[in-house]
Structure formats: C-alpha cells, structure tokens
Amino acid sequence: MRLIIAEKPSMARAIAAALPGAPRKQEGAIAAGDTLVTWCLGHLLEQAPPDAYDPALKQWRLDTLPILPERWKLTPRPKARGQLAVIRRLLKQAREVVHAGDPDREGQLLVQEVIEHLGWKGPVLRLLVSDLNRPAVQRALARLEDNARYRPLYRAAECRARADWLYGINLTRAWTLTGRQAGHDGVLSVGRVQTPVLGLVVRRDAEIRDFTPRPFFVLWADLAVAQGRLRAWWAPGEGHPLDDQGRLLERAPAATLAERLPGAEGRLTALATQEKRQPAPLPYSLSALQVDAARRYGLSAKAVLDTCQALYERHQLITYPRSDCRYLPEEHFAAARATLEGACRADDTLSRWLAGADFSRRSRAWNDKQVGAHHALAPTGRHMEPARLSATEANVYRLIARNVLAQFYPALSTREVKAEFTILDERFRARGQEILEAGWKPLFTTRDEAPPLPPLTEGEACRVDETGVEDRETRPPEPFTDASLIKAMMNIARYVEDPAVRRTLREHDGLGTEATRAGIIETLVERGYLVRRAKALRATRLGSALIASLPEAAGRPERTALWEQRLSAIAEATAEPAPFLAELVEDLRRLLAHADAAGLKRALAEARGEEAQAAPARGTRRGGRSRTLNQSAKGSRRATQRRTS
C-alpha cells in the first residue's frame, strides 16, 4: 500500500480525487485503489518545552539561562494526538510513503518531521502540488521525486525551528524576569523576527514624535507659450538660502521675484524629451499582493492571507498562495488562454479585461530560471461563481487575475518632457507626460501620472501671466500601515545602517517569509506591542519600552536578515546547521548579559511619559491610555505558551 501524507485535509481530498478509482473515506484517511491518503493538521509536532529536558526548568529563573538542549525533542501538539495515532497505524501497513507537504520550507518540515518522529525507514517520494484542481494534481502525481532531494530544505527548516526556540525561550525568560523586578506583571516576549519588526515601528514613531517641521517656500509662474499654457516652478540658485534638497528657506526672495514676474517675457532655453516603455507589473507574490490589497481595499496582511487560503483551498480558484515568487513556469504559457478564459468569463470586470488580451504576447513573467519551489499566484482556470465569493474574496481574486491578464497587454508607452525657461535671468522648470499607448495601464488605474505639456520648441518665447508663492512645511514620515510594514519587511536592506551588510542583503532581502509576515504583525498586536489606529500601526508604551531595554542589535533587522541568508545556504546544501547554531549560542550569551531590571524600569517610565505627552496631540479619548496598557498586559499573558519567533 502507498501512503500519501498531505499537509492538511483539503490537500488530501484534492489528491484522493485525482487518483484512479472512487475515493472511500476511512478513519483519518481516504482510500483510492491501492493508495491511502492521510493528512496532518498543520504542525502535529512542536519543539518540546524546557521542562521536557529537565523538570527543574519549569520554574523561570535567571540562573538557569541559557537553556541549551543537548538532544532535541519534539512533542505532539495537544489536539494532534489522534491524527498522529492514525498516521502511526497507517505507516505500519505501508510499503512506500509520499510526502505531500506544501512546496516550501515549512511544508517540507511539517510532514517530514512526522515521518521521522514515527520511525519510518522505508522509501519516501515527494509530491509537489501548487494547484488543487484535479488536472494539476494529476500532473503532479505523474512527476513524483525522491524526497532525499529535499533533505537540505528540511534541515534548514529544522535549524530555523531550533534557532527560534533558543532565541525566543532564553530572551523571553530573561526579559520577563527582569521585567518583574522592574515592576511589570506579564510576559515580555522576544523573538528573532517579531522584535526587529517591532523595532521598525518604534523607531518610526520616534521619528514622527521628534520631528520638527521647517517652513519652506515655492514660487510658481503660469506661462503663455506658442501653443498653450503651462505652470513652471522657480529653481532658485546657490545664492539663496536653501536646504540640502534645494528648498527655499526664506519667503522674501520668492515674494520679491513674484512681484517682478507678471508680464515678463523669457525663452525656453532647454528641452528634453524621452520615450519610455514600461512592461506590465509581474504576477503577485503573497507579500506584493498584501501590499496592493492593503492600499486598495484597506485589508490587513492577515486578512489577505486568510482570503488567499480560502480561494486556494475552499474555492480552488488560485494556485498555492504562500509564494515569494513573481514569475510563472514557461510550460504554463501554452495553457494561459484556456486558463484565463475559464477563470474570468463569469465576472464583468475580468471578462472586459479578458477581451482586450492578446495571447500571442509573451511577457517576461514566463521564466523557469526565476521559479523555485513555487511560482507566482495565478488563477487555476476553475470557473468562478461570483455568488459563492464574499466581497473581499472577489476583490482579491480580481487582483490576482488582473496581474496575470496584464501579461497579455502591450507595454505602457509614454513620452516625458522636461522644459527649462529663463525669465529675468532666473530658471523655471516644468515637466509633463504624454501617454502614447496605454497598454496595461487601464487595468490598474485611469489616472494619468502627470498632465501633458503643450507642444514646445526649444528657443520659443514665453510670457508670465500669473504667479504665486506657496508657504509649505516639511512633513514627518508617515506612520507604518499594514501595507508599508509588509513592504519594509520585504525590502529590509533599506533599514540597515551598515553599508557592507546592506550590500550583502540586497540579494537576500526579507524579514520573515511570505507565510509568516502577516502573522508576525498580528502577533505584535495581540501581545500588546502594537495597536491599530485607523490604518496606522503604532507602538504601545510596552512595545516602546521593550525595544528601549533590549540591546540595540536585538531590535534591528540585521541579525534576522543574515539568519535568512544562512538558512538559505543550508537549504541549498552549501552550509551546515551546526556552525550556525554554535554561533547563535555565543550570540545569546552576549545578549543575556544585557538583561537589566534598572534599565527596563527606566525604559517603562520614559515610555509612559512619552505616551502621555503624545496623547493630547493625537486626540486620545479619556481612559484610552489605560485601555491600551490593559490590552498590553493581557496580550503579554496570552503569549506565555506561544512560540516566540
């Protein structure tokens, strides 16, 4: 008997439906011919708690840190024992096992750790399914691989789990215990990904809080030219008081010039035109979709992930969603027309876009060299029934389908014009854009980026009709939102100060993974470190104090981004886990030496004062601060038994 172990029941049902013979349900499995398909329920196993290694470690004490297991143990999750028993029984009957976890690092770990924990010594094949529709699953079943090929991926995932345990357990215990000494009653959870993400928000909030606006002034002039009118902006020279971005810091020079300009004549002294062709945006990775869906529909990152899971599992309308890839396999190109016709016909908007697609076009999206274990999100071709989808599901589905449809549209072709006028020996600049061919752009927006300028000829005369001086102020950075925080996590090198590390990270950008970023944000909210105010994500007093009390390196992204590099090297079989874990232990010892109750007490007091100072400015309602603190404590207590990554 062949036993296929899927990651979850929905995957098992899809696999069973694609096998020869009528599926027959059994206890914890589905039979089809000589094959049984069973499933995990997400992770059936988890890292054992410290007291599994030594009962004395159940009590939290600083003198027992760091906790360093000599031989790692896994333990069944509380609700997983029944299904684990089913798999154990079925393994005794099997002649061959097929690993059918999701096609990513965690999917490899989730099923393989069960197979190894239960002591299976026989052959294991690997089934990679990224589309739950029957034809796609049948194609995947015809291409089974030796699971040994994916052992480095499993070792990387196992190493990640152990490293997260070491980092989270030891630092969480250390800061919780020093927090008690400082007067804080609750768990202070520290993790190698969640804490740097919190640090991003805390530092952004501090920039906003400490920002001092500075006035600057701009002068515009409406010009009459041979074939129309345009607005140009004064470019003051070095003799004027300017900041490092060339902004005028005093109003007097602009006001004086504005009085002299009406009726003045000048000439167009420099004219530059450039035609550009911009290909369609690539199909989505999960994070790219989360950014766009947050901006367009105000959805949280978790809401987008949950919606994608429903579209993938329940409705089977899209391919595997937890993907970090924005490219599609070349073999999918031939079937793209049929796939998109099936996916888009029932929706008015999508069918209108479908009618404009030219399926003879082949964009840069079809590229096997850019496709790893999984490809970009795409429609499966299954018939969409709008009545069965919620409004959010329909909106997210349209975004996914749109970005694939856009690959069959022409490039956006524009002509950009930059003009410089000389009037009264001063320079005035204008720029505009003309759309030559809209291409894919109408699928995304009907708004022009910049209005076109009238036809211009270098050397032609101009005359000033009207002028105006505008008083402006520099603005603080915007607070993080779900969209901008996900984007920051995707492009973390931008927030790294060390130039050498920043250069290294550009090829391996990313804090967290496609599968975890949404959960990290929600975890920080649940634990009381972040709070949502409208669309903004702001740090609470507790979150700010935690970052202030930690060594700076623990709240910055460099460490965890470099971790991902090392884990990628392990997954690619170019590095071993042991040296990485040994270096982590030494790093932990240095971090633990910074646990200081006095410093944490001071940080809590300072954060309390900063929050009280900021509350009137942001219109906090009476009693609002106490609610935030209560939520923080409640969230911290819930964190006690959670994984702290």
Side-chain angles (χ1 to χ4, degrees):
M1 180 265 287
R2 169 183 280 181
L3 178 64
I4 300 177
I5 305 176
E7 181 163 328
K8 35 182 113 61
S10 58
M11 174 80 78
R13 290 191 294 271
I15 294 170
L19 291 167
R24 306 181 308 279
K25 289 185 179 181
Q26 298 185 4
E27 182 189 356
I30 305 171
D34 188 37
T35 300
L36 276 176
V37 186
T38 189
W39 52 84
C40 300
L41 302 166
H43 278 282
L44 297 182
L45 302 167
E46 61 186 359
Q47 294 294 325
D51 54 281
Y53 299 97
D54 182 350
L57 293 175
K58 190 161 189 176
Q59 183 180 4
W60 290 28
R61 291 173 47 184
L62 284 170
D63 60 6
T64 61
L65 303 179
I67 301 169
L68 306 171
E70 292 184 9
R71 186 174 180 181
W72 289 89
K73 298 179 181 179
L74 294 172
T75 186
R77 288 180 178 266
K79 296 182 180 180
R81 296 183 184 278
Q83 190 60 20
L84 204 59
V86 169
I87 298 174
R88 179 183 285 109
R89 172 174 54 81
L90 296 177
L91 282 172
K92 294 176 181 177
Q93 307 169 30
R95 58 177 169 77
E96 180 181 73
V97 169
V98 178
H99 179 316
D102 281 349
D104 59 12
R105 193 169 72 193
E106 286 305 300
Q108 188 66 33
L109 172 70
L110 191 148
V111 174
Q112 190 161 337
E113 68 183 2
V114 170
I115 293 171
E116 298 199 359
H117 181 75
L118 295 178
W120 171 259
K121 303 298 182 185
V124 181
L125 299 175
R126 185 65 163 100
L127 173 64
L128 295 167
V129 175
S130 59
D131 179 341
L132 296 186
N133 282 290
R134 183 170 181 171
V137 177
Q138 288 175 328
R139 288 194 298 271
L141 284 164
R143 294 196 297 251
L144 294 176
E145 301 180 58
D146 186 344
N147 189 56
R149 178 182 174 188
Y150 295 92
R151 185 155 190 83
L153 193 66
Y154 166 66
R155 295 178 75 203
E158 182 182 60
C159 183
R160 191 278 310 153
R162 292 174 177 178
D164 279 346
W165 190 96
L166 287 169
Y167 195 89
I169 289 290
N170 284 292
L171 294 184
T172 295
R173 287 195 173 200
W175 259 260
T176 298
L177 291 167
T178 55
R180 290 176 187 169
Q181 295 172 11
H184 174 73
D185 180 21
V187 174
L188 288 176
S189 174
V190 181
R192 62 104 183 179
V193 177
Q194 69 165 11
T195 305
V197 173
L198 174 61
L200 288 175
V201 180
V202 169
R203 288 188 291 277
R204 174 63 59 84
D205 285 354
E207 289 178 40
I208 296 169
R209 183 189 66 239
D210 299 337
F211 181 82
T212 301
R214 292 186 303 166
F216 68 97
F217 308 90
V218 296
L219 165 62
W220 53 263
D222 285 346
L223 308 181
V225 293
Q227 299 190 55
R229 290 167 57 90
L230 58 86
R231 176 163 289 188
W233 302 83
W234 181 39
E238 294 181 358
H240 297 288
L242 307 176
D243 66 8
D244 56 0
Q245 296 185 40
R247 293 177 295 210
L248 185 67
L249 299 178
E250 294 180 7
R251 197 177 199 280
T256 300
L257 181 57
E259 290 178 358
R260 299 170 53 210
L261 280 171
E265 296 186 350
R267 293 206 170 271
L268 174 54
T269 48
L271 181 66
T273 63
Q274 183 180 15
E275 292 191 6
K276 294 184 177 181
R277 290 178 59 82
Q278 183 180 344
L282 289 166
Y284 283 118
S285 65
L286 175 60
S287 289
L289 175 63
Q290 286 169 321
V291 169
D292 276 7
R295 287 174 175 168
R296 192 176 183 94
Y297 300 115
L299 298 175
S300 71
K302 184 177 185 299
V304 177
L305 175 58
D306 291 346
T307 300
C308 285
Q309 284 297 127
L311 290 170
Y312 172 62
E313 294 181 9
R314 189 186 319 140
H315 303 294
Q316 298 182 12
L317 289 173
I318 66 169
T319 57
Y320 178 71
R322 296 173 184 246
S323 172
D324 61 355
C325 179
R326 298 197 68 174
Y327 291 85
L328 295 166
E330 293 173 15
E331 69 172 9
H332 285 202
F333 178 76
R337 180 173 195 149
T339 298
L340 288 168
E341 285 178 347
C344 300
R345 286 290 185 200
D347 182 84
D348 291 342
T349 300
L350 292 176
S351 61
R352 186 172 69 253
W353 292 342
L354 178 68
D358 177 359
F359 289 98
S360 66
R361 293 183 178 276
R362 188 184 182 101
S363 81
R364 61 192 171 127
W366 318 95
N367 188 341
D368 285 346
K369 293 180 181 178
Q370 299 289 344
V371 175
H374 26 70
H375 56 70
L377 280 67
T380 60
R382 188 182 182 94
H383 180 68
M384 173 199 180
E385 298 180 45
R388 296 187 60 197
L389 301 184
S390 68
T392 297
E393 289 169 344
N395 287 335
V396 171
Y397 179 73
R398 286 189 196 99
L399 290 178
I400 295 167
R402 178 200 66 182
N403 273 42
V404 178
L405 275 169
Q407 307 311 310
F408 299 99
Y409 275 70
L412 168 64
S413 180
T414 59
R415 179 185 292 118
E416 293 188 359
V417 180
K418 295 180 181 179
E420 183 171 292
F421 298 85
T422 301
I423 309 167
L424 300 180
D425 295 326
E426 297 287 349
R427 293 175 302 159
F428 289 80
R429 292 172 178 158
R431 61 188 304 168
Q433 183 186 80
E434 178 184 359
I435 294 179
L436 303 177
E437 183 177 13
W440 52 266
K441 191 71 179 290
L443 278 64
F444 290 74
T445 180
T446 57
R447 189 175 63 249
D448 292 338
E449 295 300 323
L453 297 178
L456 296 170
T457 304
E458 190 166 347
E460 71 174 273
C462 66
R463 186 187 70 255
V464 178
D465 284 347
E466 291 185 63
T467 66
V469 178
E470 295 182 5
D471 298 1
R472 298 185 181 179
E473 276 190 342
T474 55
R475 298 176 61 183
E478 294 290 331
F480 276 116
T481 63
D482 277 77
S484 60
L485 189 54
I486 287 283
K487 193 168 184 178
M489 294 164 75
M490 292 167 63
N491 302 285
I492 200 62
R494 299 175 187 175
Y495 299 86
V496 171
E497 293 182 352
D498 187 316
V501 176
R502 191 187 308 123
R503 284 194 298 273
T504 303
L505 288 177
R506 294 207 184 277
E507 292 183 6
H508 300 272
D509 242 7
L511 193 59
T513 66
E514 304 294 319
T516 62
R517 286 173 186 146
I520 290 164
I521 295 174
E522 293 307 314
T523 294
L524 289 168
V525 173
E526 290 172 8
R527 291 178 178 170
Y529 298 148
L530 295 182
V531 64
R532 283 192 174 90
R533 296 195 181 105
K535 292 184 179 181
L537 287 164
R538 308 301 290 260
T540 63
R541 177 179 69 86
L542 184 63
S544 298
L546 177 60
I547 293 299
S549 69
L550 285 163
E552 184 179 9
R556 297 198 63 87
E558 286 86 341
R559 173 185 282 103
T560 191
L562 290 170
W563 271 33
E564 288 298 334
Q565 281 188 344
R566 299 286 294 274
L567 293 170
S568 294
I570 295 168
E572 293 162 6
T574 59
E576 293 294 319
F580 170 66
L581 291 173
E583 290 175 29
L584 168 61
V585 169
E586 292 306 309
D587 196 20
L588 270 177
R589 294 185 191 278
R590 289 190 291 271
L591 291 170
L592 289 169
H594 287 83
D596 173 40
L600 182 53
K601 187 173 184 178
R602 186 167 55 252
L604 286 164
E606 289 174 356
R608 185 183 297 112
E610 289 167 358
E611 184 176 64
Q613 184 178 8
R618 63 174 180 252
T620 302
R621 291 174 296 178
R622 186 175 181 181
R625 188 180 65 158
S626 64
R627 281 195 297 273
T628 300
L629 300 185
N630 289 338
Q631 289 166 358
S632 299
K634 183 179 178 182
S636 294
R637 286 193 292 272
R638 284 199 301 264
T640 307
Q641 299 300 323
R642 292 187 186 174
R643 186 161 60 94
T644 53
S645 66

